């Protein structure tokens, strides 16, 4: 059984994907950017979108087992640490941070997670 979760984000229809897919006992949440001017605002916003998708899938942040962070500027990752620690620190997932270009230069961070369903 596969369940697809759409959030109505602008890129979902343009690119042909959905926010999350529940399959094989896991929730796979697509790379998620947030709104705001600073990396901290975008980090918080992305986490809220991820949390909403997980909730719709019957999961939550505590069930995240893997997270990938993508940032165009690796130096901007450290300001996000307190936000990420507050959200995930009680149940830390395996994690990777990659410095790379994102789909639009206005985005400072993109977060992708896999959680238990």
């Amino acid at each position: 059984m596969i369940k697809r979760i759409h959030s109505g984000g602008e890129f979902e229809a343009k690119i042909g994907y959905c926010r999350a897919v529940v399959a094989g006992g896991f929730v796979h949440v697509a790379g998620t950017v947030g709104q705001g001017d600073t990396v901290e605002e975008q980090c918080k916003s992305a986490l809220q979108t991820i949390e909403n998708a997980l909730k719709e899938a019957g999961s939550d942040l505590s069930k995240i087992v893997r997270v990938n962070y993508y940032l165009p500027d690796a130096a901007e990752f450290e300001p996000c640490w307190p936000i990420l620690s507050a959200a995930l620190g009680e149940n830390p997932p395996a994690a990777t941070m990659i410095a790379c270009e994102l789909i639009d230069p206005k985005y400072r961070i993109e977060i992708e997670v896999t959680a238990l369903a």
Side-chain angles (χ1 to χ4, degrees):
M1 179 79 167
I2 295 174
K3 178 180 179 182
R4 289 178 171 79
I5 298 168
H6 298 273
S7 65
E10 69 174 295
F11 295 112
E12 288 181 33
K14 289 179 183 179
I15 298 171
Y17 76 96
C18 57
R19 174 63 43 219
V21 175
V22 183
F26 290 95
V27 183
H28 305 274
V29 182
T32 304
V33 295
Q35 301 304 308
D37 295 324
T38 68
V39 70
E40 295 93 341
E41 290 170 343
Q42 290 186 19
C43 182
K44 288 177 187 175
S45 176
L47 286 171
Q48 185 61 59
T49 300
I50 290 166
E51 186 171 28
N52 293 344
L54 290 173
K55 183 177 179 182
E56 188 173 338
S59 188
D60 60 53
L61 295 177
S62 73
K63 295 181 181 176
I64 295 174
V65 295
R66 182 81 173 131
V67 60
N68 294 314
Y69 304 105
Y70 306 97
L71 293 94
D73 182 355
E76 287 195 326
F77 190 43
E78 189 169 351
C80 295
W81 294 355
I83 299 161
L84 298 168
S85 181
L88 307 174
E90 292 293 317
N91 302 285
T96 300
M97 192 287 290
I98 298 170
C100 62
E101 289 185 36
L102 299 181
I103 197 164
D104 187 310
K106 71 181 177 184
Y107 297 120
R108 310 305 315 144
I109 187 169
E110 184 169 340
I111 304 171
E112 172 187 45
V113 307
T114 303
L116 291 174

